[in-house]
Amino acid sequence: MNSLQITVTQDGDRNREQELSRKGHGYTGAYTSLDIGEVEKSPAVRKNRPTIPVEDDNMQGSTTKLIVCFFGIFICYFYYGIVQEKITRSTYGDGERFTAFFCLVFVQCIINSIFAKGAIGITKPEPDKTYWRLYAVCAVTYLGAMVASNSALKYVSYPLQVLGKSCKPIPVMILGVLVAHKRYPLRKYFFVLFIVVGVALFMFKGDSSSKSTDSHAFGFGELLLILSLTLDGLTGAAQDKMRGEYKTSPYHMMFNINKWSVLFLLILCLVTGELFQFMEFLSRYPNTLPNILLFGLASAVGQSFIFTTVSSFGPLTCSIITTTRKFFTILGSVILFNNPLIYRQWIGVLFVFIGLGLDSMYGKNRKVEKR
């Protein structure tokens, strides 16, 4: 019995197909589904019609998934910060401190890679077709942003560094437009600006003392902060390209970026000699190893939520979550422990909630345009 499939949009071709099918020629025609405003009622057509993916930073993932990712990132990196403080600020033996920061990130990336590889084996996503150079570039920008931000602390005060990093969503948006050819509605820029200004007002604490009176040192620190923000934006643009052109799954993205990060960090640790210092430190204080492993595990679980957010909602949404994370942590301590806020911080709180509220109501773009 010959099947009848009608999807050709021209009336003459449709009639010809029906006629041939009735005469027993077994002709079914090439299957094409085009949206021309016509409702096709055939069950076969509805069943077999291909889905055309629409790139959208907000609508590819559900609100429930976004909430889960937000709290996953919040909880994992809250614990991550606690363990990091315990490792780096504790004294060992006769007042020795942990200083092998590159090796700490190196171990973290190894655990992230192992975790992501296991998740790939369990979830079995589609084969990854992302170009390897894109992963390598993303790993360089990711590590470069981290190194530049931490190095800036040698030349600028911590409040200024926090203020600079709170602007992260801005370069993510700008370089997403310039490099990944994203386009956002004008109102989206204003909503993100509200959030960034609110976080900056809330987090910044005036510091009368300066680390250095040398204007050149201060200028170099600012330059490092700008470099860090630029690299953050390039990381977001690369991730936008992955999800837009290659539909990269979150765990493939997580595994490959961390894999390249492990390679680059291994070279760095060997060249600086930090790897050997790290091994000697562990041999002297083996009780540090459990905390380092917990630090890496917290990072791995947190990154799984981060890359799920990037894959489902885009790097901009992820940068907003990570930027406001510390804001909500401090705000929670204010509510729980009655810590007072100054007038400027309350204005910052108002700006953040106005920006988040307006973005959730009006910032969703049903179709992100491509140039």
Side-chain angles (χ1 to χ4, degrees):
M1 183 175 179
N2 295 316
S3 61
L4 177 62
Q5 294 181 348
I6 305 172
T7 57
V8 183
T9 58
Q10 295 180 6
D11 291 337
D13 290 340
R14 180 187 291 122
N15 295 334
R16 177 64 176 162
E17 185 180 351
Q18 290 174 330
E19 180 181 352
L20 289 172
S21 182
R22 283 195 298 268
K23 289 182 178 180
H25 289 280
Y27 175 85
T28 58
Y31 182 72
T32 307
S33 179
L34 300 175
D35 183 12
I36 58 172
E38 179 181 349
V39 180
E40 296 175 343
K41 298 181 180 180
S42 169
V45 170
R46 290 197 301 268
K47 181 179 180 181
N48 295 311
R49 180 187 292 118
T51 302
I52 301 174
V54 177
E55 183 185 357
D56 192 321
D57 284 354
N58 298 288
M59 300 186 69
Q60 283 187 5
S62 67
T63 302
T64 302
K65 181 191 284 189
L66 182 61
I67 293 171
V68 170
C69 287
F70 173 81
F71 282 105
I73 293 171
F74 183 89
I75 293 169
C76 289
Y77 281 98
F78 179 77
Y79 182 69
Y80 173 94
I82 292 173
V83 181
Q84 185 181 38
E85 287 274 319
K86 190 178 293 186
I87 295 170
T88 58
R89 294 189 177 271
S90 297
T91 54
Y92 303 88
D94 298 328
E96 187 176 357
R97 288 288 188 95
F98 183 90
T99 57
F101 295 104
F102 287 136
C103 286
L104 187 62
V105 180
F106 174 65
V107 173
Q108 169 188 321
C109 290
I110 290 175
I111 296 174
N112 291 343
S113 300
I114 295 171
F115 184 93
K117 191 66 175 176
I120 290 171
I122 294 171
T123 59
K124 301 188 186 312
E126 294 291 326
D128 187 26
K129 299 178 182 178
T130 310
Y131 197 36
W132 66 268
R133 287 185 183 177
L134 199 55
Y135 287 128
V137 168
C138 197
V140 169
T141 56
Y142 161 70
L143 293 174
M146 187 189 308
V147 172
S149 175
N150 291 333
S151 299
L153 283 173
K154 298 177 183 178
Y155 307 96
V156 300
S157 63
Y158 179 72
L160 184 58
Q161 189 238 27
V162 171
L163 179 65
K165 293 300 285 184
S166 69
C167 300
K168 179 179 175 179
I170 293 177
V172 170
M173 286 191 81
I174 293 173
L175 289 170
V177 171
L178 296 178
V179 178
H181 307 300
K182 301 280 291 182
R183 300 194 71 178
Y184 299 97
L186 184 60
R187 60 182 180 273
K188 185 81 173 178
Y189 293 92
F190 285 108
F191 300 156
V192 171
L193 186 61
F194 257 92
I195 296 168
V196 168
V197 170
V199 172
L201 287 172
F202 185 85
M203 298 296 298
F204 182 70
K205 296 179 181 178
D207 189 5
S208 57
S209 63
S210 176
K211 288 196 169 187
S212 173
T213 57
D214 185 1
S215 61
H216 294 287
F218 179 77
F220 185 64
E222 286 184 328
L223 186 63
L224 286 173
L225 280 177
I226 293 172
L227 176 61
S228 176
L229 289 171
T230 302
L231 292 173
D232 279 331
L234 289 173
T235 302
Q239 292 171 339
D240 258 327
K241 201 171 184 65
M242 289 179 199
R243 71 186 286 264
E245 292 187 14
Y246 300 100
K247 311 300 178 197
T248 311
S249 72
Y251 291 117
H252 276 133
M253 199 182 295
M254 178 179 173
F255 171 72
N256 286 285
I257 291 175
N258 279 284
K259 179 182 71 176
W260 282 99
S261 297
V262 166
L263 175 62
F264 296 140
L265 284 166
L266 177 60
I267 296 171
L268 185 62
C269 291
L270 287 172
V271 169
T272 59
E274 191 176 287
L275 183 61
F276 307 106
Q277 299 172 13
F278 177 66
M279 299 302 293
E280 291 174 2
F281 182 88
L282 287 182
S283 65
R284 290 195 301 272
Y285 310 107
N287 58 332
T288 312
L289 186 59
N291 283 332
I292 292 175
L293 294 177
L294 285 174
F295 172 79
L297 183 60
S299 169
V301 179
Q303 274 204 4
S304 70
F305 287 112
I306 282 180
F307 283 103
T308 299
T309 304
V310 170
S311 179
S312 300
F313 303 95
L316 178 60
T317 301
C318 185
S319 70
I320 291 173
I321 289 175
T322 54
T323 299
T324 56
R325 176 180 60 85
K326 190 174 289 188
F327 162 82
F328 281 110
T329 301
I330 298 175
L331 187 61
S333 72
V334 169
I335 296 171
L336 292 174
F337 302 108
N338 296 318
N339 295 323
L341 291 180
I342 63 176
Y343 182 68
R344 186 194 68 245
Q345 288 178 309
W346 280 116
I347 295 176
V349 171
L350 183 63
F351 268 60
V352 169
F353 281 106
I354 288 176
L356 290 174
L358 290 174
D359 186 55
S360 65
M361 289 187 293
Y362 305 111
K364 293 184 178 181
N365 194 19
R366 291 199 171 272
K367 187 173 182 179
V368 178
E369 300 175 27
K370 287 278 191 175
R371 284 180 180 172

